[in-house]
């Protein structure tokens, strides 16, 4: 395995995950505020899951996002 190539590929994937996830979170929260589903002062529970079946990876991260 080429460690440098592997590291670059993992970083590219995680950058894509981060950018697209941030956009989707921001869009969903704005829409929820506009529709009155939430007020905009909540703390929202959030989770993310990364899976790679061929190497038996199933990694979850949980946290909270404060809106104010």
């Amino acid at each position: 395995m080429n460690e440098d190539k592997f590291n670059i590929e993992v970083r590219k994937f995680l950058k894509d995950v981060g950018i697209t996830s941030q956009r989707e979170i921001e869009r969903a929260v704005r829409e929820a505020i506009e529709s009155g589903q939430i007020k905009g002062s909540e703390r929202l529970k959030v989770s993310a899951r990364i899976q790679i079946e061929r190497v038996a990876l199933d990694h979850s991260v949980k946290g909270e996002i404060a809106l104010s």
Side-chain angles (χ1 to χ4, degrees), residues 6-27:
F6 175 57
N7 184 275
I8 289 168
E9 290 296 314
V10 170
R11 288 175 181 266
K12 283 182 359 185
F13 173 75
L14 292 174
K15 182 178 178 182
D16 187 40
V17 168
I19 291 168
T20 58
S21 297
Q22 181 174 351
R23 287 181 187 148
E24 287 301 308
I25 289 168
E26 290 171 348
R27 180 197 54 76

Side-chain angles (χ1 to χ4, degrees), residues 28-52:
V29 168
R30 285 189 188 103
E31 288 178 4
I33 291 170
E34 289 171 5
S35 72
Q37 183 181 353
I38 61 175
K39 295 178 182 177
S41 58
E42 296 86 351
R43 295 183 66 85
L44 304 175
K45 291 183 181 183
V46 62
S47 65
R49 184 175 182 186
I50 300 286
Q51 295 176 288
I52 306 174

